[in-house]
Amino acid sequence: AWTQVQWTDDMGKLSPELSSLKAEDKAVRNLLSSVEPGRFVLVKANDFETALQRNEAVAKQLQSLKEADDLNAYYSLYPWLASQQLQQQNITALTAAMTEKHQLMWQQALAKAGLSVEKLGQLKPVGEKVLTPEAFEATPYKHELAGQYFEENGQVLMMTWLGMHDAESVREALSGLQGVSYKSQKDMVNAQAGVYREQTLQVLGLGVCAIILLLLMRFGNLLTAMNVLLPALVATLWVVAMWGLLGVA
């Protein structure tokens, strides 16, 4: 029976089973947002540009997970705010593509769609200006990303909210990225519960040893001390054994 005892560190199992409330909560969340509460990807860097580059690497991995059905949605700063390095690469690529051939293809597409070639037919160079974080802060779109990035103690922190996902797949996909970590409030609480359980068992063992030592000092005989303590130990083991037989976790 002792081998059948199930130890659990999932604090959620201590909550009362209220299926109707859980179903209602799920329905409300589906209407409002697909973000899974308490789980996100955190990016850390010493400056904004490095943080944005790392965030872009995260978005690339999350997109692969989404295509593999290991993640149903994610909400990132990218592509709302891209690194200056990526913006320069895009400007260079777009400028190189501004050929007469592509201009003609664009005009033909406009004409086929019934749009004005005269007004929309000339593709103009985008220039060399990039969108900086400071410029982005001055736009109305900053409210769309409120709370997803900030500076603290000389570091830039960026969060990517996650929808329903496979946690192990996300951890594996992000494992090789510098300054990137997967955070789960539930997992952190459960980990702390596991540490607490282990420490409690250690203290319990030390307590039993201390009691035996005190009884030995009192009676001067180990067999007598064990006989005094035996009923309490047997009762404790019996209760734990019954938990194992009943399948109580």
Side-chain angles (χ1 to χ4, degrees), residues 4-24:
Q4 295 178 299
V5 175
Q6 303 176 41
W7 302 100
T8 180
D9 299 323
D10 189 350
M11 299 299 289
K13 292 184 178 180
L14 297 179
S15 302
E17 182 64 28
L18 299 174
S19 301
S20 60
L21 290 180
K22 289 183 178 180
E24 184 176 349

Side-chain angles (χ1 to χ4, degrees), residues 1-61:
W2 179 261
T3 58
Q4 295 178 299
V5 175
Q6 303 176 41
W7 302 100
T8 180
D9 299 323
D10 189 350
M11 299 299 289
K13 292 184 178 180
L14 297 179
S15 302
E17 182 64 28
L18 299 174
S19 301
S20 60
L21 290 180
K22 289 183 178 180
E24 184 176 349
D25 176 73
K26 184 178 180 180
V28 172
R29 291 186 186 279
N30 289 338
L31 290 174
L32 296 177
S33 173
S34 61
V35 173
E36 195 167 354
R39 294 184 174 184
F40 57 93
V41 177
L42 178 65
V43 171
K44 291 183 180 180
N46 294 326
D47 58 83
F48 230 105
E49 176 65 13
T50 303
L52 287 171
Q53 291 179 18
R54 292 176 179 177
N55 188 65
E56 289 159 2
V58 168
K60 183 178 180 180
Q61 294 297 324

Side-chain angles (χ1 to χ4, degrees), residues 112-128:
K112 187 176 180 179
L115 299 175
S116 174
V117 176
E118 182 181 353
K119 294 182 178 179
L120 303 174
Q122 294 302 316
L123 295 175
K124 298 179 180 179
V126 295
E128 297 295 323

Side-chain angles (χ1 to χ4, degrees), residues 38 40 171 182-194:
F40 57 93
R171 285 195 181 95
Y182 169 77
K183 301 295 183 181
S184 171
Q185 186 179 30
K186 179 181 178 181
D187 292 346
M188 287 189 288
V189 171
N190 290 343
Q192 290 298 319

Side-chain angles (χ1 to χ4, degrees), residues 3-241:
T3 58
Q4 295 178 299
V5 175
Q6 303 176 41
W7 302 100
T8 180
D9 299 323
D10 189 350
M11 299 299 289
K13 292 184 178 180
L14 297 179
S15 302
E17 182 64 28
L18 299 174
S19 301
S20 60
L21 290 180
K22 289 183 178 180
E24 184 176 349
D25 176 73
K26 184 178 180 180
V28 172
R29 291 186 186 279
N30 289 338
L31 290 174
L32 296 177
S33 173
S34 61
V35 173
E36 195 167 354
R39 294 184 174 184
F40 57 93
V41 177
L42 178 65
V43 171
K44 291 183 180 180
N46 294 326
D47 58 83
F48 230 105
E49 176 65 13
T50 303
L52 287 171
Q53 291 179 18
R54 292 176 179 177
N55 188 65
E56 289 159 2
V58 168
K60 183 178 180 180
Q61 294 297 324
L62 294 180
Q63 183 61 32
S64 298
L65 290 175
K66 186 178 179 181
E67 293 172 358
D69 292 329
D70 289 324
L71 171 68
N72 75 341
Y74 65 94
Y75 303 91
S76 172
L77 280 174
Y78 177 82
W80 293 86
L81 185 57
S83 65
Q84 294 188 30
Q85 177 183 351
L86 181 58
Q87 291 184 64
Q88 289 290 356
Q89 292 174 356
N90 291 339
I91 289 172
T92 301
L94 182 58
T95 301
M98 290 279 189
T99 63
E100 292 185 6
K101 177 183 177 180
H102 289 147
Q103 287 276 10
L104 181 59
M105 292 173 60
W106 171 245
Q107 292 170 2
Q108 290 173 347
L110 289 173
K112 187 176 180 179
L115 299 175
S116 174
V117 176
E118 182 181 353
K119 294 182 178 179
L120 303 174
Q122 294 302 316
L123 295 175
K124 298 179 180 179
V126 295
E128 297 295 323
K129 188 175 182 180
V130 298
L131 179 65
T132 64
E134 294 76 16
F136 179 79
E137 283 286 338
T139 69
Y141 299 105
K142 70 174 184 178
H143 301 294
E144 300 290 336
L145 305 174
Q148 283 192 250
Y149 66 96
F150 55 91
E151 295 186 46
E152 183 179 71
N153 298 327
Q155 282 194 317
V156 178
L157 306 178
M158 294 183 179
M159 278 76 67
T160 298
W161 312 130
L162 302 176
M164 297 297 294
H165 61 276
D166 180 73
E168 290 305 318
S169 297
V170 174
R171 285 195 181 95
E172 183 179 353
L174 302 177
S175 59
L177 301 182
Q178 184 179 1
V180 176
S181 57
Y182 169 77
K183 301 295 183 181
S184 171
Q185 186 179 30
K186 179 181 178 181
D187 292 346
M188 287 189 288
V189 171
N190 290 343
Q192 290 298 319
V195 173
Y196 175 76
R197 175 176 57 80
E198 293 176 0
Q199 292 179 345
T200 299
L201 292 175
Q202 293 174 2
V203 172
L204 181 61
L206 292 174
V208 171
C209 293
I211 292 174
I212 293 175
L213 181 60
L214 291 174
L215 291 174
L216 186 60
M217 293 173 60
R218 171 66 177 82
F219 296 105
N221 185 284
L222 180 60
L223 182 60
T224 302
M226 292 303 298
N227 286 335
V228 172
L229 188 60
L230 187 60
L233 290 176
V234 170
T236 301
L237 294 176
W238 184 84
V239 170
V240 174

